[in-house]
């Protein structure tokens, strides 16, 4: 009798081993100790990509964490083996696999095999989302419709805990960003039928009252009169509450260069009787006077040392005076910039004075400029300016011919940015345009118009792959005697890589001088290998010429390394210039706006 039972057990064991041997080996984990786990998937497992599940089990199963402990013993090992099937079921359920079956086999003392049979991934079968509250009123119909359309987990979509949590947060955020900062979830339920792998979603939200902007109070001022900074307030009492408007207000204060930090808080939890929320702006001022010395180097203009002095309350009128002395191998400059605070009409005025000397490609240029500008709009989002500038220029080409040029110009510029991040964008675009007109012969060597535009684009091809593009075009029309400052040259870090800074232009004797037309562009692919480090491949083109019929683009291409630093993206490139047959090293810090 005992013999028959033993034989039967052996037969069953052999059949079980044969059955599991047919399963597909998924992955194995072996630590520094002798303990090892092996995971197999049943042949009837759906063919979906299981790499995410594999990583989930490798990282979060208790048995794998314990295997790293050198004090692991056989008794603890057996206990962990027994609890692992339930942990597997709990973990894969977060990815939408419910009613997972796991059979454990232990061929040897130190080896545990887990044979997993995954059901089909759960799908959303029905969605019941309701939003009540003041948002139901006709005046908020557009906000309600936008919230309903934003629901990202529709019928037949794959259900996971992450997708479920994200869907709820995004719907709630749509209301919070609008005029309903007190919106809340009242019912949240996802009912799973493990037999059919179908999920019934029920979600209810209360929008609460529609909130409007109340009084704006400014706190923390020490050296500035409130009357000077009050025009920085971009909010209007009685306007609908918008979370983005609070950020605009914060940027308005920060862009002055006078405050170390600015906190904007809306009292949405203590509304006034008319459902308005008062706004508190708390500022922390920077030092009134600072002096800084900086040193560095660039592949464009060489080693440098910079002396900078800043007075943030010039004449006790809230004027920002920023002055600097810049000494580089190929460029030396003295600059002074006085910026006025935003006035009651939203205008920001500035006075610029500078003396700049450059020695590039056989051309030495000394330019003295005095100008004024008026800005309006939202800095960093949509900003325009008009200005006037007086230029005196001393020019020497190839150490021989020298000349004096002058020009009085009027300028108009437009800067537009639509980015997902101000310092390290992954999606969006930047447009910069500028027009400079010299209208009077008496104040200039001739009448001319300089037009210039630059467009940059950022687009994520995949979660870890990004495309960056750039195109820049410029023209000068009018008089033949245009100052070199207003002509174009190409080449360098932010132009055509593979060529020296401003080395692409019009050949004159042994020097390179500026041209009247410019066209440059770039296409770049960045593959992020980690969250901070990536590799890039790029192609640049461009040149400057005296006319479009003389235009012949030079090409540069190469490889680079990218680092997402705390102060913005950093890039190091090695580029090959097709025209010069030379390799050049380029270094970039930040996004060129």
């Amino acid at each position: 009798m005992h013999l028959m039972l033993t034989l039967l057990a052996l037969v069953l064991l052999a059949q079980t081993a044969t059955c599991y041997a047919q399963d597909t080996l998924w992955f194995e984990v072996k630590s520094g100790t002798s303990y090892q786990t092996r995971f197999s998937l049943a042949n009837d497992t759906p063919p979906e990509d299981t790499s995410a599940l594999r990583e989930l089990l490798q990282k979060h199963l208790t048995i794998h964490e314990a295997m790293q402990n050198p004090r692991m013993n056989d008794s603890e090992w057996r206990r962990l083996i027994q609890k692992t099937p339930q942990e597997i079921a709990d973990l894969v359920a977060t990815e939408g696999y419910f009613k997972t079956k796991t059979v454990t086999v232990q061929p040897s003392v130190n080896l545990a095999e887990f044979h997993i049979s995954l059901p089909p991934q759960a799908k959303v079968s029905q969605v019941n989302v309701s939003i009540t509250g003041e948002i139901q009123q006709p005046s908020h119909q557009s906000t309600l419709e936008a919230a309903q359309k934003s629901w990202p987990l529709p019928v037949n979509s794959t259900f996971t805990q992450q997708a479920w949590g994200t869907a709820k947060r995004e719907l709630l955020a749509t209301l919070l960003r609008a005029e309903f900062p007190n919106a809340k979830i009242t019912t949240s339920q996802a009912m799973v039928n493990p037999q059919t792998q179908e999920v019934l979603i029920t979600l209810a939200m209360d929008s609460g009252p529609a909130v409007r902007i109340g009084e704006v109070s400014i706190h923390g001022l020490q050296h500035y009169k409130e009357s000077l900074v009050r025009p920085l307030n971009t909010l209007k009492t009685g306007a609908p509450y918008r979370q983005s408007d609070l950020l605009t207000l914060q940027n308005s204060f920060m862009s002055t260069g006078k405050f170390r930090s600015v906190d904007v808080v809306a009292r949405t939890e203590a509304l006034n009787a008319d459902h308005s929320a008062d706004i508190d702006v708390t500022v922390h001022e920077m030092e009134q006077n600072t002096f800084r010395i900086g040193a560095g180097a660039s592949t464009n203009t060489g080693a440098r040392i910079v002396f900078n002095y800043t007075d943030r309350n010039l004449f006790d009128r809230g004027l920002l005076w920023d002055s600097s002395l810049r000494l580089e191998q190929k460029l030396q400059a003295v600059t002074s910039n006085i910026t006025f605070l935003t006035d009651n009409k939203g205008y920001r005025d500035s006075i610029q004075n500078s003396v700049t000397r450059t020695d590039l490609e056989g051309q030495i240029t000394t330019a003295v400029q005095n100008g004024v500008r008026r800005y309006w709009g939202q800095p960093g989002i949509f900003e325009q300016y008009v200005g006037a500038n007086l230029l005196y220029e001393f020019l020497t080409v190839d150490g021989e011919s020298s000349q004096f040029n002058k020009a009085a110009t009027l300028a108009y510029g437009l800067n537009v940015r639509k980015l997902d991040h101000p310092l390290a964008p992954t999606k969006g675009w930047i447009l910069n345009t500028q027009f400079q007109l010299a209208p009077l012969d008496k104040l200039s060597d001739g009448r001319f118009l300089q037009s210039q535009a630059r467009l940059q684009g950022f687009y994520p091809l995949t979660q870890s792959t990004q495309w960056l593009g750039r195109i820049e075009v410029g023209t000068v029309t009018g008089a033949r005697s245009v100052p070199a400052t207003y002509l174009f040259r190409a080449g360098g870090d932010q132009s055509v890589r593979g060529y020296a800074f401003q080395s692409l232009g019009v050949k004159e004797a042994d020097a390179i001088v500026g041209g009247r037309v410019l066209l440059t562009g770039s296409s770049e692919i960045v593959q992020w290998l980690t969250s901070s480090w990536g590799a890039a491949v790029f192609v640049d083109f461009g040149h400057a010429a005296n006319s479009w019929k003389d235009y012949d683009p030079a090409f540069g291409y190469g490889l680079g390394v990218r680092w997402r630093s705390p102060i913005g993206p950093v890039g190091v490139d090695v580029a090959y210039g097709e025209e010069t047959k030379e390799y050049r090293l380029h270094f970039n810090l930040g996004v060129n706006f």
Side-chain angles (χ1 to χ4, degrees):
M1 183 65 177
H2 291 292
L3 179 60
M4 292 179 63
L5 291 175
T6 302
L7 290 174
L8 181 60
L10 290 173
V11 170
L12 292 174
L13 181 61
Q15 291 177 341
T16 302
T18 301
C19 178
Y20 294 142
Q22 295 175 355
D23 289 353
T24 302
L25 179 62
W26 193 11
F27 66 93
E28 298 177 296
V29 177
K30 187 175 183 179
S31 67
T33 63
S34 59
Y35 295 101
Q36 181 179 358
T37 59
R38 184 177 296 161
F39 294 79
S40 299
L41 289 176
N43 288 334
D44 59 349
T45 295
E48 290 96 341
D49 181 15
T50 56
S51 58
L53 293 180
R54 180 177 66 246
E55 183 177 355
L56 189 70
L57 299 181
Q58 287 174 331
K59 287 185 176 181
H60 299 291
L61 283 177
T62 306
I63 195 170
H64 291 153
E65 182 180 353
M67 284 165 59
Q68 307 297 324
N69 190 343
R71 299 161 69 176
M72 169 75 80
N73 55 53
D74 292 345
S75 175
E76 177 66 8
W77 175 247
R78 288 192 297 270
R79 186 188 72 82
L80 292 173
I81 291 174
Q82 292 178 358
K83 66 177 293 188
T84 296
Q86 184 58 51
E87 284 192 7
I88 292 174
D90 294 339
L91 286 172
V92 299
T94 64
E95 293 297 316
Y97 296 93
F98 300 98
K99 206 176 180 181
T100 298
K101 297 179 181 178
T102 301
V103 177
T104 304
V105 178
Q106 194 172 1
S108 64
V109 175
N110 296 337
L111 173 62
E113 294 185 356
F114 301 96
H115 299 267
I116 302 172
S117 180
L118 289 173
Q121 198 170 14
K123 303 287 186 180
V124 177
S125 63
Q126 187 175 345
V127 177
N128 297 319
V129 176
S130 64
I131 306 176
T132 59
E134 194 171 334
I135 196 173
Q136 290 288 343
Q137 294 185 4
S139 58
H140 304 297
Q141 188 66 26
S142 60
T143 304
L144 177 60
E145 291 177 355
Q148 292 171 335
K149 290 179 180 179
S150 70
W151 177 251
L153 201 59
V155 174
N156 294 326
S157 60
T158 300
F159 179 88
T160 67
Q161 286 293 341
Q162 181 178 1
W164 170 227
T166 300
K168 292 187 290 184
R169 288 193 300 272
E170 288 184 1
L171 181 60
L172 182 60
T174 302
L175 302 184
L176 297 178
R177 289 193 295 265
E179 61 263 51
F180 301 99
N182 295 321
K184 60 183 179 181
I185 297 175
T186 56
T187 302
S188 172
Q189 189 177 56
M191 296 183 63
V192 181
N193 185 335
Q195 304 299 325
T196 62
Q197 300 298 309
E198 294 180 341
V199 182
L200 170 62
I201 288 176
T202 302
L203 184 68
M205 288 189 178
D206 180 7
S207 70
V211 176
R212 297 193 171 274
I213 298 297
E215 296 296 325
V216 178
S217 301
I218 303 173
H219 311 279
L221 292 174
Q222 297 178 6
H223 299 93
Y224 309 106
K225 297 179 181 178
E226 184 170 334
S227 59
L228 289 174
V229 300
R230 173 59 64 174
L232 296 172
N233 174 31
T234 57
L235 300 179
K236 294 183 179 179
T237 300
Y241 172 93
R242 291 286 191 276
Q243 201 173 68
S244 59
D245 292 342
L246 302 187
L247 181 60
T248 300
L249 174 61
Q250 184 183 45
N251 291 338
S252 175
F253 276 79
M254 288 297 295
S255 64
T256 63
K258 300 181 183 300
F259 306 109
R260 183 178 295 105
S261 64
V262 178
D263 300 318
V264 179
V265 178
R267 301 182 199 171
T268 55
E269 296 181 356
L271 298 179
N272 299 320
D274 59 353
H275 288 170
S276 65
D278 292 336
I279 311 296
D280 290 324
V281 180
T282 304
V283 300
H284 303 274
E285 296 180 0
M286 298 181 69
E287 296 82 358
Q288 293 293 284
N289 307 96
T290 56
F291 178 76
R292 300 187 302 273
I293 301 177
S298 74
T299 51
N300 278 345
T301 52
R304 67 175 176 271
I305 183 169
V306 180
F307 304 89
N308 179 269
Y309 175 76
T310 302
D311 186 337
R312 295 181 175 84
N313 196 13
L314 185 65
F315 306 134
D316 291 325
R317 297 300 303 271
L319 304 179
L320 174 65
W321 181 37
D322 196 9
S323 57
S324 68
L325 170 63
R326 188 181 189 92
L327 303 175
E328 300 186 57
Q329 289 176 285
K330 299 180 181 180
L331 182 150
Q332 302 83 44
V334 178
T335 62
S336 170
N337 188 27
I338 298 176
T339 304
F340 293 72
L341 282 168
T342 302
D343 63 20
N344 291 321
K345 296 181 179 180
Y347 294 122
R348 298 179 297 279
D349 298 328
S350 65
I351 302 172
Q352 299 114 13
N353 309 93
S354 67
V355 179
T356 306
R357 180 185 184 275
T358 58
D359 185 353
L360 298 168
E361 302 297 324
Q363 176 178 287
I364 300 176
T365 306
T366 302
V368 180
Q369 298 194 68
N370 301 280
V372 293
R373 281 189 179 181
R374 166 163 286 186
Y375 293 84
W376 68 94
Q378 297 183 27
I381 299 177
F382 187 94
E383 187 175 40
Q384 302 178 74
Y385 69 83
V386 293
N389 189 72
L390 181 61
L391 166 73
Y392 294 104
E393 180 184 84
F394 303 89
L395 185 67
T396 302
V397 178
D398 198 23
E400 298 179 359
S401 61
S402 60
Q403 62 187 82
F404 169 74
N405 302 313
K406 66 181 184 298
T409 59
L410 302 176
Y412 168 78
L414 171 66
N415 302 314
V416 185
R417 304 179 199 175
K418 188 176 182 181
L419 303 171
D420 60 349
H421 192 281
L423 292 179
T426 60
K427 185 177 182 180
W429 51 271
I430 304 169
L431 174 64
N432 306 111
T433 62
Q434 177 178 270
F435 303 91
Q436 299 202 77
L437 173 67
L440 301 175
D441 289 324
K442 292 183 178 180
L443 298 178
S444 306
D445 292 331
R447 288 180 291 179
F448 66 87
L449 172 65
Q450 184 209 55
S451 307
Q452 191 172 5
R454 180 186 178 99
L455 178 64
Q456 295 173 265
F458 308 84
Y459 188 77
L461 300 176
T462 68
Q463 191 172 5
S464 59
T465 308
Q466 183 184 16
W467 174 82
L468 296 84
R470 168 182 51 81
I471 189 165
E472 183 174 6
V473 62
T475 62
V476 174
T477 57
R480 297 181 60 84
S481 56
V482 176
T485 300
Y486 294 109
L487 298 177
F488 302 108
R489 294 200 283 185
D493 300 340
Q494 297 289 343
S495 180
V496 185
R497 287 165 288 189
Y499 300 87
F501 179 56
Q502 293 196 358
S503 63
L504 298 174
V506 177
K507 186 76 171 177
E508 183 176 311
D510 293 331
I512 299 295
V513 300
R516 299 173 72 93
V517 299
L518 170 78
L519 178 61
T520 66
S522 176
S523 182
E524 179 174 316
I525 300 292
V526 179
Q527 178 62 52
W528 292 101
L529 307 175
T530 69
S531 59
S532 300
W533 291 93
V537 58
F538 58 86
V539 176
D540 294 352
F541 76 91
H543 218 298
N546 273 331
S547 65
W548 289 117
K549 67 178 182 179
D550 299 327
Y551 177 80
D552 184 18
F555 288 86
Y557 35 85
L559 303 172
V561 177
R562 300 292 178 265
W563 175 43
R564 286 173 172 154
S565 75
I567 59 174
V570 176
V572 178
D573 298 318
V574 176
Y576 176 76
E578 191 175 65
E579 192 171 278
T580 60
K581 304 294 190 295
E582 294 178 351
Y583 290 92
R584 296 190 68 87
L585 179 68
H586 297 274
F587 176 80
N588 294 292
L589 174 61
V591 177
N592 185 30
F593 294 144

